[in-house]
Amino acid sequence: MGAFGIRGMCWRRNRMKQIYAGLLVSSILIGIWLLLQAQTEHNDTVFKLNQEIQTLRAKIHRIQTHEVDTSIPIIYVITPTYTRPVQKAELTRLMNAFTLVPNLHWIIVEDSSSKTDLVKNLLTSFPKPSTHLNIQTPAKMKLKPKDKWWSKPRGVFQRNLALSWLKENEKNKEGIIYFADDDNTYSVDLFEEIRGTKRVSVLPVGLVGGVKVEKPQVSGGKVVGWEVGWGNERPFAVDMAGFAINLQYFLKHTDVKFLEQVKVGHQESEFLFQLVSLDQLEPVAVGRVLVWHTRTQALNLNREDWFLKHYGYSSDTGIEL
Ligand code: UDP
Ligand code: MN
C-alpha cells in the first residue's frame, strides 16, 4: 500500500465524517422545524378555540342582557328609589321577579345627587338591559321626618326623568311603560297581562288605599268606574302600580308628566287625565291581583345605638345591608 493509498483512506474517512455531521445537522434542523411547525399548529388551535370561547361568551351575554325578541314589546319598568336601610332588600325582591320576565328593561332612578354603588352593583348583577339615572328631589318638595308620608309627592321627579329618557332614547321601540315603586311585590304574570297594552291598561292592586283590593269596575269589557276605599270621585282612581302605558301612544302625547303640585292622592289621576278618557282604558288582569303594595313595616333599629356604643362601630360596618 503506497502513500497515496493511506491518504485516500483518510480522505474517505473525513468525507464520511462530513456526511454524518451533515446528516446530523440536517436531522436536527428538520426536527426543530417539525417542532416549530407543531408549535404553530398548536398555537393556531388554541387561538381558534379562544375565538370560539369569545364568540360563545358574547352570545351568552347577548342572550342574558338583550333578549331581543322583536315580536314582543319591551316592558320598560320605571323604579324611583332612595337610600334607606330597607332599600337593598326591596330592590332585590324586584330584581328577582324582573329577571324572570322576557324583554324587560329596568330603569332605576335614584333620588340622590349622585349614583350610589349599591344601585350600580345591583344593576351589574341584573342579567337584563337596564338604565341607571339619578335626580334629587328639591329640598322644598322632600318629605321631612315629621311630615305625614302622604303629604308630599314621592318619586315624581324621578319618574319624569325616566319618561324624558325614554322620549330621547327609545322613540323607535315598541314598548310598554310601567311604574314599579320599590316597595311593592310584583307577580311575573303581571307583565304578560300588560304587554298587549294599546293605550293605557288598568288592573287591580292589592293591599292599598285602606282596602284589600282596589280595582277598576268593569262592565262589558270596558272600565266604567272604580271600586276603591276612598277617592272614588277621582277621574282615575288608580294606584301607581295599577296601570301601564303603550310607549308609542305615550310619545304622541308630548308634555305629559307627573305634576309637582297635586291634591293628596291625585298624582295618578292627574297624570292619566292628560293621556286618556275612561272609555279608552283597557282592563287587564281582570279578577286577579298580580301586584301588592306591601310596604315594608316600620323598622325596629332601636338597638343600633347600643350596638354602636358596645362594639364601637355600627352593625353594617364592612357589610352592605
Ligand atoms: N321615593 C323616592 N324619594 C323619596 C321617597 C320615595 O324616590 O323621598 C320613591 C320610593 O322609593 C318609591 C316611590 O318613590 O319607589 C314611592 O314612594 P313611597 O312608596 O314611599 O310612596 P307611596 O307608595 O306611599 O305613595
Ligand atoms: Mn309605595
Side-chain angles (χ1 to χ4, degrees), residues 120-158:
K120 237 181 258 176
N121 293 338
L122 189 107
L123 280 181
T124 304
S125 67
F126 181 58
K128 293 198 173 267
S130 61
T131 300
H132 187 183
L133 305 171
N134 67 287
I135 181 171
Q136 189 158 38
T137 304
K140 65 173 168 38
M141 303 292 292
K142 193 95 180 157
L143 216 55
K144 309 271 177 330
K146 278 191 196 130
D147 289 345
K148 289 269 187 280
W149 61 268
W150 41 259
S151 66
K152 295 245 168 62
R154 295 153 304 278
V156 166
F157 290 83
Q158 292 71 32

Side-chain angles (χ1 to χ4, degrees), residues 67-73 103 174:
E67 286 173 35
V68 181
D69 177 353
T70 46
S71 64
I72 55 170
N103 266 29
E174 284 304 318

Side-chain angles (χ1 to χ4, degrees), residues 97-267:
F98 299 166
T99 299
L100 298 171
V101 181
N103 266 29
L104 180 146
H105 182 133
W106 195 8
I107 305 172
I108 299 192
V109 194
E110 291 195 72
D111 185 350
S112 62
S113 58
S114 59
K115 297 182 177 74
T116 63
D117 282 344
L118 189 146
V119 173
K120 237 181 258 176
N121 293 338
L122 189 107
L123 280 181
T124 304
S125 67
F126 181 58
K128 293 198 173 267
S130 61
T131 300
H132 187 183
L133 305 171
N134 67 287
I135 181 171
Q136 189 158 38
T137 304
K140 65 173 168 38
M141 303 292 292
K142 193 95 180 157
L143 216 55
K144 309 271 177 330
K146 278 191 196 130
D147 289 345
K148 289 269 187 280
W149 61 268
W150 41 259
S151 66
K152 295 245 168 62
R154 295 153 304 278
V156 166
F157 290 83
Q158 292 71 32
R159 290 186 203 101
N160 283 339
L161 179 66
L163 292 174
S164 308
W165 184 88
L166 281 172
K167 272 185 206 161
E168 272 172 37
N169 296 282
E170 306 290 278
K171 51 176 168 287
N172 299 318
K173 299 279 174 60
E174 284 304 318
I176 309 298
I177 304 168
Y178 183 71
F179 298 105
D181 287 354
D182 65 1
D183 58 338
N184 296 341
T185 303
Y186 302 91
S187 159
V188 173
D189 291 353
L190 163 76
F191 300 95
E192 296 326 310
E193 289 283 342
I194 62 173
R195 210 185 287 274
T197 304
K198 296 286 170 279
R199 291 188 178 106
V200 175
S201 57
V202 285
L203 53 132
V205 179
L207 313 176
V208 71
V211 291
K212 286 186 258 186
V213 183
E214 275 191 359
K215 55 186 171 302
Q217 204 168 32
V218 180
S219 172
K222 290 260 170 201
V223 177
V224 294
W226 308 96
E227 281 179 33
V228 290
W230 76 275
N232 186 38
E233 77 293 346
R234 289 172 292 169
F236 298 87
V238 60
D239 183 73
M240 198 60 74
F243 65 92
I245 311 158
N246 182 292
L247 174 67
Q248 289 305 321
Y249 181 76
F250 175 76
L251 293 175
K252 282 190 202 116
H253 297 75
T254 45
D255 301 332
V256 172
K257 57 179 186 175
F258 288 98
L259 307 176
E260 288 164 31
Q261 304 276 352
V262 289
K263 246 166 89 181
V264 170
H266 283 244
Q267 192 58 251

